[in-house]
Amino acid sequence: MAKQQNDGKQDDVVVAMVPFPAQGHLNQLLHLSRLVLSYNIPVHYLGSSTHIHQVRHRVQGWDPDAVPDTSIHFHDLEIPPFHSPPPDPNAKVKFPSHLQQSFEVSIEHLRGSVGELLCSLACNARKVIVIYDSLMKKVIQDVEFIPNAEAYSFKSISAFTCFLFLMDKMGDLIDSPLIDQIPNEIPSLKGCFSDEFSTFMSSVHAINLKYISGSIYNTSRIIEGTYMKLMEQDPEYKKNWALGPFNPVTVATTNSRRHHCFEWLDKKQPNSVILISFGTTTALSDQQINQIAIGLKQSDKNFIWVLRDADKGNIFSNGEVRKPLNKWINKSYKAFAFSMLASPH
């Protein structure tokens, strides 16, 4: 519930964040929460208890626990248990299909509790701003019935990628001199998603939310202004806000959680180290890892390689852990750089 002021008055504005339950989505909206808090606006961060625990456990660059409790509120919402299998490193499509059930269970069961919480916030604030991941449309549909609420769709991908989806839909209908700035020979999006997730996305896009006030991007117009302008030719994308970068751009030197690889990195010349990371949802096969390792070794360049398996739906659940990753971190590669095996947590 939104905090009451000492004089008994209600909050002027509160913000509710509704993230999609995958690390790259959870993390971005948590960082946006930090920015909103810097304007002394209370923030409510909504999600399942498992995913709230995950995003708080992994946050880097600031400590959510150090933020005053009167300003930030984490709401652990209950959902039924879901199957959390390990990733398949040999899958033909690298999309994390093993997370599909966690996506579906979360979305199917969060709508009621999210709706009730938003109604409660609306009773104690003049305005409730709901910032929801664009994949969470189904969960926030009840905003329509809250007269003092406004909803903004958060796009978790780059403006460039959003434009590629739009271009795929509109084709030759896009008419702008800026179109000449689009790179040639852009790879096809075909094969990027599993059939199950493609069906899921289609069901999300089929939901028509007419009361959405606009879209928010974790980007800057200085970097992606061309693609923001191109998208704004479509009436659906008229109201866009580029508010990034969300994550802290300075690193605290006294951070006790600082990884020891930074000591090695601090000794290297600027622009002399390659970072290799495929994120939290990609599981590479042994053959792919071997080919990357050979290429890095032959490059004779300094590098940091974040080598890890993809997340499970519940990163805290027990179960099979892929051990062979350890064999790729050995002395022959450390002669060229520092490689690290990231913990699943």
Side-chain angles (χ1 to χ4, degrees):
M1 181 175 292
K3 70 179 179 64
Q4 296 288 326
Q5 304 292 344
N6 291 333
D7 57 6
K9 295 182 180 180
Q10 62 181 192
D11 285 319
D12 185 38
V13 176
V14 299
V15 173
M17 300 287 182
V18 185
F20 185 71
Q23 178 61 26
H25 300 247
L26 294 161
N27 190 51
Q28 289 188 74
L29 282 188
L30 183 56
H31 282 307
L32 178 57
S33 298
R34 178 187 63 87
L35 293 180
V36 173
L37 289 171
S38 69
Y39 292 90
N40 296 317
I41 299 174
V43 174
H44 297 256
Y45 191 97
L46 286 58
S48 75
S49 56
T50 296
H51 296 112
I52 293 288
H53 186 192
Q54 173 179 323
V55 71
R56 296 187 71 174
H57 180 74
R58 285 180 167 177
V59 67
Q60 296 290 325
W62 65 291
D63 184 2
D65 293 328
V67 176
D69 290 337
T70 55
S71 296
I72 188 168
H73 308 261
F74 290 92
H75 297 271
D76 299 353
L77 307 177
E78 292 300 322
I79 61 173
F82 53 84
H83 185 45
S84 184
D88 178 7
N90 299 306
K92 185 177 180 180
V93 176
K94 286 301 179 181
F95 185 83
S97 301
H98 64 289
L99 299 178
Q100 188 69 35
Q101 186 174 129
S102 69
F103 298 160
E104 293 177 352
V105 170
S106 297
I107 290 173
E108 287 298 322
H109 292 88
L110 283 177
R111 180 178 177 181
S113 52
V114 167
E116 290 177 5
L117 182 55
L118 294 179
C119 287
S120 175
L121 294 176
C123 291
N124 292 279
R126 180 184 64 82
K127 180 74 69 176
V128 177
I129 304 298
V130 181
I131 301 177
Y132 70 97
D133 193 291
S134 59
L135 293 174
M136 298 295 276
K137 273 186 180 181
K138 185 174 183 179
V139 172
I140 60 92
Q141 290 181 85
D142 296 327
V143 170
E144 179 181 6
F145 307 108
I146 304 176
N148 60 331
E150 291 181 11
Y152 294 82
S153 172
F154 167 63
K155 310 295 187 183
S156 64
I157 55 180
S158 66
F160 172 71
T161 305
C162 282
F163 173 71
L164 291 186
F165 283 112
L166 179 61
M167 188 171 65
D168 190 51
K169 180 182 76 171
M170 295 184 65
D172 296 336
L173 296 178
I174 298 177
D175 181 21
S176 169
L178 294 173
I179 205 76
D180 295 333
Q181 298 183 34
I182 300 173
N184 295 322
E185 301 180 0
I186 297 175
S188 170
L189 295 172
K190 185 178 181 180
C192 291
F193 305 105
S194 65
D195 292 341
E196 295 83 0
F197 193 75
S198 294
T199 300
F200 165 75
M201 285 197 299
S202 296
S203 68
V204 170
H205 295 320
I207 301 173
N208 185 18
L209 302 183
K210 297 180 180 179
Y211 47 86
I212 300 307
S213 299
S215 297
I216 295 172
Y217 296 79
N218 184 6
T219 190
S220 166
R221 286 187 181 267
I222 295 174
I223 299 172
E224 293 194 292
T226 295
Y227 302 105
M228 299 289 287
K229 290 177 182 178
L230 283 167
M231 284 191 295
E232 285 164 354
Q233 292 187 79
D234 186 327
E236 183 182 344
Y237 291 85
K238 280 293 183 184
K239 296 182 179 179
N240 294 320
W241 286 270
L243 304 182
F246 294 170
N247 57 296
V249 294
T250 58
V251 179
T253 57
T254 58
N255 188 349
S256 61
R257 298 173 63 180
R258 194 172 191 252
H259 196 280
H260 57 278
C261 76
F262 287 108
E263 297 177 7
W264 174 88
L265 182 61
D266 288 342
K267 299 175 184 178
K268 303 303 176 184
Q269 292 296 317
N271 302 318
S272 66
V273 179
I274 302 170
L275 172 65
I276 304 93
S277 175
F278 293 92
T280 58
T281 59
T282 300
L284 300 173
S285 67
D286 285 355
Q287 182 181 15
Q288 290 172 320
I289 293 172
N290 186 53
Q291 291 300 311
I292 293 171
I294 291 171
L296 288 171
K297 184 175 181 181
Q298 292 179 349
S299 75
D300 198 25
K301 300 294 183 181
N302 294 312
F303 65 89
I304 293 178
W305 184 5
V306 183
L307 181 56
R308 52 161 293 154
D309 251 346
D311 281 347
K312 296 191 297 181
N314 180 353
I315 67 168
F316 302 103
S317 66
N318 296 322
E320 179 183 352
V321 177
R322 190 174 166 212
K323 300 297 185 183
L325 289 177
N326 291 295
K327 71 181 180 182
W328 304 104
I329 310 301
N330 55 51
K331 293 181 180 180
S332 64
Y333 295 116
K334 286 183 179 178
F336 290 88
F338 182 97
S339 300
M340 63 181 177
L341 177 63
S343 164
H345 297 177

